[in-house]
Amino acid sequence: MISFSLGRFSAVLIKEFVQMRRDRVTFAMMIGIPIMQLLLFGFAINSDPKHLPTLVQMDDSGPISRAVLASMRTSDYFDFIGAVTGREEGDRALRDGTANFVVVIPRNFERDVLRGLSPDILLAADASDPTATSGAVAALTGIVDAAVAQSLTGARQPEPRPAEPFSVTVHRQFNPESETPINIVPGLLGIILSMTMVMITAVAIVRESERGTMEALLATPVRPLEVMFGKIIPYILVGYIQTAVFLAAARLLFDVPFLGSPLAFFVGFNLFIAVNLMVGFLISTLARSQMQAMQISFFTLLPTILLSGFMFPFAGMPGWAQAIGNAIPATHFLRITRKVMLKGAGLADITSDMAAIVAITAVVIVIALSRYRQTLD
Amino acid sequence: MNGNAEFAISVRGLTKRFGDRTVVDHFDMDVPRGSIYGFLGPNGSGKTTTIRMMCGLLVPDDGEGECLGYDILTQSRRIKEHVGYMTQRFSLYEDLTIRENLDFIARMFRLKDRASRVDAALEDLDLKDRADQLAGTLSGGWKQRMSLAACMLHEPSLLLLDEPTAGVDPKARRDFWDEIRRLSAKGVTVLVSTHYMDEAVQCDFIAYIAYGRRLISGPAREIPKIIGLHTWRVEGGDISALEEELRKDERVGQVARFGPVLHVSGTDKMALDAVAQEQMKRGTHEWTAREAGLEEAFIYLMAGARDNFAGAGAAR
C-alpha cells in the first residue's frame, strides 16, 4: 500500500520554493531574525555586568584604604559615583536604585590592618537582582587582598600569619573570561532555529487548509508522505542559510570560537532541524488557522527558552523541570553546540544528545502522521 | 473502466453527521454515464458534503456506493485518479501563475507529456495570453475557467462541479456551459450543483436535495410531472395588477412573470382550475392551460417548504 511518487513529491517541493520566493516578507524575516537576535542577545545581554554604580563611605583615609578603592575601580566592576557619610544615606541610595553597592571602609582600617587585626570592609549590595551583583561580589575579596598585599611592603608588613591549610585554585575552562556572548551565542542558535523552523513549517501547512487549497490537493491522488516531505525540505534549506549566517556573524562579531568537529556539528544540526520541522508539522495538524499555528508555536517557545538551559542553568532546576527540559529538542542541541563549539567535542562526545533528539523525532513523527488527515473530516 | 456500465455514480443510503447534526441523511443517487446531472438544493442542504463523499474527501458515516465502478469507501484513491473535482471556493494557489498551477496539478496526476497537455489545456480554455499571470490577480470568471482547466487536465471521465458559476457574470457562465456541453458530448459524465435556473434547465437529470434528504430526482423533462405541477399561461391586460391579485390567492401555488406573460402554477389542479375559470369569466386576460415547464418546477423547488412535496418525492 505504501508507495511514494518522486514526481508528486518534487511537484510539492517546486511549488513550495516558488511560493517562498514570492513571499518576500517571510523570506526576509527568515534571514533577518537570526541576525537581529544575534545582535540583541550578543550585545545587549551580559550576565557578568561591570561598571556598577557604587557609593563609598570613607571613615578612614589612609594610603591602604585609597589603594583598596583604586583597585576596585580598576577592576571595572565598580564605578564610584560619590560618597556618603552615614549608614542611612547609603541604605537610601540602595533602595531607590541610584547605587548597587555601598562600600564602607571602617574607622582605623589602616591601623588595624597594620596591627594584623583583620578589620572588615563592608560591601552593602543590592541583591534583589543577584545576577547583577554576584560577579562583582565574588571578585571583591581577590581585589581587596591584592591591593592590601601590595601596599604592605617592608616595615609595614604585619605580623606573619600562619599559612592556610590548603588553597583552592579555580580553573575556568572553555570560557576563561566568562564572556556572556560565548555562553549565549551557541545556545542562541538552537533558540532561533526552534522559533523560525517550527513556526514557518506550521504556518505553511495550515495555510493550505485556511486558503482552501487543501481541498484541491486532497482531490488529487497525492499521499501524505509526499506532501509532508515536499513541504518540509525547502525549510531545511532555510535552516541551513540561517545557520550559515549565524555562524559567520558569531565568528566575526563576537569571536565565538569553533573548536570541535564540523562533522559532529553538521550531523547534530541536521537532526535538530529535522525534529523542529516535524514539530511544526505536528502543530499544523492541530491548528485550524494560521493564527492558531502561530500561537501554538509561541507557546512551545517559552519552555524552550526557559527550560533548555539557554537562559538558566539546567543543573539548577528541580527534577520535574529537568524531565520536561529533556523532552525539549533544544536542550540537547544546546549541549551539542556548546560541546562542539566551545569544548572541541567530536561525534563520539555527542552521541547521547543525538540519541535523545532522534527519540523525540520518532515520537513526534508517529503522532503527526496519525493526526494527518487524508480527508476533510 | 470496470464496474457498472450504466451509472457513473450509484450510491445508497449515504449519511454524514457532523457532531449531532445530520448533514446528509440516507441519500440515494444514480447518475447515468455521459449525462449532465443537475444537483439542486438550497444553501446548507448538503450538496457539497454529498459531492465530497462521492470523491473520497469525506468518509460517509453510513451507506455505500460506487463511483466509476470503484467503491467510495475503500477505493477513493482510484476514484481520485479518474474524477475531476471543481470546488465551490477557488482552491488553487493564488501565488502561483496559471501555468504553474496547471503544471502542479499535472504532476500530481503524474501525466505524461506534461508540457504539451498544459499547453493544450491553456489553449482550450483560452487562457494562453494569461498563462503567466498570478492566479490571485484574476477575476472570478477567469479563476473559474482555470479551475475547470485544472480539473480537466487528467481527462477524467466524471466531473464533479460544486456551484462552479457562483459569482460569475452571465457571459462567462454561458461560455462555461458551452464547455460543459462540449465535454458531455465527448462522453464525460457531469454532476453539477447549482442555484441558477438557466443552468438547471441545461441538465439531462435533476436531483433536488433539502435538509440532507433527496426529495425529488429524475429526468429533467419529467420533473414537473413528478412534482405534479400544473400551469396556466396568462397574458394581456394589466398584467401587474393581476400578478398582485393572484399572489394573494391561496389556491395559487406560485406566480412567475416572464416579461408580459404570467405562469400561474400549483400542485392542486382543482383549486388552480377554479381560479382560472373565475378569471376567464372576467375576460380581462387570456388564459391557456399548458404543461408545466422546468422553469416552473425550478421556482417551485427553490421556493417550496419541504412538507409540500415530501410525498411527491416518493414518486421515484
Side-chain angles (χ1 to χ4, degrees):
Chain A
M1 233 354 238
I2 291 187
S3 69
F4 185 87
S5 155
L6 269 182
R8 283 198 292 260
F9 155 71
S10 57
V12 178
L13 191 71
I14 293 168
K15 173 188 82 74
E16 286 300 314
F17 272 122
V18 173
Q19 288 184 309
M20 200 194 288
R21 202 186 66 213
R22 300 225 164 103
D23 188 358
R24 298 253 161 96
V25 177
T26 307
F27 196 73
M29 212 176 70
M30 292 185 287
I31 306 303
I33 281 181
I35 297 180
M36 209 182 67
Q37 300 266 11
L38 183 65
L39 294 181
L40 275 181
F41 277 87
F43 282 123
I45 295 188
N46 188 353
S47 58
D48 186 21
K50 308 214 165 150
H51 301 289
L52 299 165
T54 306
L55 288 170
V56 191
Q57 186 184 333
M58 275 291 249
D59 292 337
D60 180 284
S61 57
I64 296 183
S65 306
R66 271 181 275 122
V68 165
L69 291 187
S71 53
M72 279 175 75
R73 189 182 294 121
T74 47
S75 76
D76 282 352
Y77 276 112
F78 306 94
D79 267 6
F80 292 111
I81 54 167
V84 289
T85 49
R87 174 86 194 244
E88 229 165 85
E89 204 181 333
D91 282 351
R92 203 181 317 121
L94 286 182
R95 203 176 307 121
D96 66 20
T98 40
N100 284 72
F101 297 107
V102 178
V103 187
V104 183
I105 311 276
R107 200 175 297 281
N108 301 327
F109 176 69
E110 180 146 356
R111 193 195 65 195
D112 290 350
V113 170
L114 290 173
R115 287 184 182 169
L117 293 177
S118 310
D120 289 329
I121 293 181
L122 172 69
L123 182 72
D126 173 3
S128 64
D129 182 358
T131 330
T133 49
S134 62
V137 170
L140 186 67
T141 315
I143 294 168
V144 173
D145 276 354
V148 173
Q150 241 171 32
S151 319
L152 301 176
T153 44
R156 307 183 69 182
Q157 200 81 27
E159 302 293 316
R161 270 189 295 171
E164 305 271 354
F166 63 87
S167 67
V168 176
T169 306
V170 177
H171 187 182
R172 294 184 166 200
Q173 289 198 89
F174 311 124
N175 187 4
E177 328 250 308
S178 292
E179 282 183 42
T180 308
I182 289 182
N183 162 264
I184 290 262
V185 166
L188 186 59
L189 178 62
I191 301 300
I192 289 175
L193 286 175
S194 296
M195 184 161 91
T196 48
M197 295 283 95
V198 169
M199 191 168 15
I200 290 170
T201 322
V203 166
I205 298 172
V206 174
R207 193 166 52 203
E208 296 264 357
S209 24
E210 198 176 299
R211 288 194 187 163
T213 51
M214 193 53 108
E215 200 176 354
L217 195 61
L218 288 178
T220 70
V222 76
R223 281 156 206 273
L225 270 185
E226 295 157 3
V227 178
M228 191 171 85
F229 284 120
K231 289 194 81 79
I232 277 179
I233 286 176
Y235 297 105
I236 293 188
L237 211 79
V238 172
Y240 274 48
I241 298 174
Q242 286 187 333
T243 306
V245 169
F246 186 87
L247 286 180
R251 190 61 179 268
L252 295 175
L253 295 175
F254 300 106
D255 276 331
V256 176
F258 192 111
L259 305 171
S261 139
L263 176 70
F265 181 85
F266 188 72
V267 174
F269 150 78
N270 276 306
L271 288 175
F272 184 61
I273 286 202
V275 74
N276 275 324
L277 297 177
M278 286 315 306
V279 171
F281 191 82
L282 175 62
I283 291 177
S284 77
T285 64
L286 300 170
R288 294 249 164 217
S289 66
Q290 296 187 62
M291 188 54 131
Q292 275 185 12
M294 204 97 97
Q295 286 170 337
I296 301 178
S297 304
F298 268 117
F299 178 74
T300 66
L301 190 64
L302 210 58
T304 301
I305 292 178
L306 297 180
L307 300 182
S308 66
F310 168 68
M311 269 288 169
F312 308 108
F314 193 82
M317 302 193 305
W320 58 268
Q322 290 196 3
I324 300 175
N326 273 324
I328 297 171
T331 306
H332 306 282
F333 183 62
L334 196 113
R335 293 175 189 164
I336 293 178
T337 49
R338 284 191 183 150
K339 281 183 190 175
V340 173
M341 291 176 74
L342 306 182
K343 305 188 195 170
L347 262 182
D349 303 308
I350 59 166
T351 40
S352 63
D353 306 305
M354 292 195 297
I357 295 183
V358 169
I360 297 172
T361 314
V363 173
V364 176
I365 287 187
V366 169
I367 303 175
L369 277 185
S370 70
R371 296 251 349 149
Y372 181 82
R373 284 152 295 193
Q374 274 195 77
T375 60
L376 291 168
D377 279 291
Chain B
M1 198 76 27
N2 59 352
N4 199 314
E6 192 185 349
F7 297 116
I9 298 175
S10 176
V11 293
R12 292 285 171 271
L14 226 47
T15 301
K16 183 73 192 177
R17 283 178 283 269
F18 293 125
D20 52 4
R21 212 162 53 87
T22 304
V23 179
V24 175
D25 193 1
H26 293 92
F27 186 85
D28 300 343
M29 183 184 245
D30 290 306
V31 178
R33 279 186 193 270
S35 62
I36 300 182
Y37 202 108
F39 199 9
L40 273 54
N43 282 324
S45 55
K47 299 191 295 287
T48 300
T49 307
T50 308
I51 291 178
R52 283 176 175 173
M53 283 193 280
M54 286 170 178
C55 64
L57 283 180
L58 285 177
V59 182
D61 293 317
D62 200 5
E64 51 172 23
E66 286 185 348
C67 188
L68 297 171
Y70 299 112
D71 192 307
I72 59 164
L73 295 175
T74 58
Q75 295 181 294
S76 65
R77 201 178 301 280
R78 304 303 303 274
I79 294 175
K80 288 175 185 176
E81 282 167 16
H82 299 284
V83 168
Y85 171 42
M86 182 167 158
T87 53
Q88 186 171 355
R89 188 175 151 199
F90 180 72
S91 61
L92 293 165
Y93 298 97
E94 302 211 328
D95 46 359
L96 298 187
T97 66
I98 296 183
R99 186 190 296 280
E100 285 164 348
N101 266 304
L102 294 184
D103 195 64
F104 176 70
I105 298 292
R107 284 171 192 267
M108 285 290 116
F109 285 98
R110 296 202 272 180
L111 301 183
K112 299 203 171 63
D113 319 318
R114 208 175 59 240
S116 62
R117 279 171 90 162
V118 169
D119 274 337
L122 289 170
E123 192 90 51
D124 270 0
L125 287 158
D126 229 355
L127 292 164
K128 198 113 209 193
D129 299 338
R130 295 166 185 263
D132 296 317
Q133 194 176 332
L134 289 184
T137 64
L138 294 170
S139 68
W142 286 105
K143 275 185 181 167
Q144 167 237 34
R145 271 179 172 225
M146 171 185 154
S147 301
L148 183 66
C151 72
M152 287 304 303
L153 212 53
H154 59 296
E155 296 179 355
S157 39
L158 170 64
L159 272 183
L160 302 174
L161 310 174
D162 193 3
E163 292 186 20
T165 58
V168 170
D169 68 79
K171 159 91 169 70
R173 234 160 71 192
R174 267 198 305 281
D175 293 347
F176 185 81
W177 272 89
D178 288 343
E179 185 62 32
I180 298 294
R181 269 198 307 278
R182 203 167 60 81
L183 292 168
S184 170
K186 282 201 235 163
V188 177
T189 311
V190 180
L191 174 66
V192 54
S193 75
T194 180
H195 279 306
Y196 297 112
M197 173 159 50
D198 57 337
E199 296 186 352
V201 299
Q202 307 226 28
C203 297
D204 306 323
F205 294 86
I206 299 274
Y208 182 84
I209 181 174
Y211 302 97
R213 295 207 198 113
R214 189 200 62 181
L215 299 178
I216 279 182
S217 71
R221 225 171 301 125
E222 292 173 21
I223 293 294
K225 223 176 284 168
I226 294 171
I227 300 173
L229 205 57
H230 306 276
T231 299
W232 287 85
R233 179 189 158 98
V234 189
E235 54 191 326
D238 185 351
I239 208 82
S240 298
L242 182 67
E243 186 184 353
E244 199 72 1
E245 186 192 333
L246 289 174
R247 277 191 198 283
K248 283 182 198 134
D249 197 322
E250 281 179 5
R251 293 167 299 176
V252 174
Q254 71 186 45
V255 183
R257 180 152 179 188
F258 298 90
V261 180
L262 287 185
H263 284 188
V264 184
S265 324
T267 42
D268 187 345
K269 190 172 191 320
M270 298 274 282
L272 191 69
D273 287 353
V275 176
Q277 294 303 331
E278 286 168 24
Q279 289 290 338
M280 279 192 283
K281 263 180 220 155
R282 272 209 258 160
T284 46
H285 300 83
E286 194 180 318
W287 285 69
T288 25
R290 58 159 284 168
E291 212 169 298
L294 196 53
E295 283 92 347
E296 284 83 51
F298 181 85
I299 295 169
Y300 180 86
L301 288 176
M302 292 317 244
R306 66 199 255 251
D307 294 343
N308 290 358
F309 44 87
R316 202 187 134 91

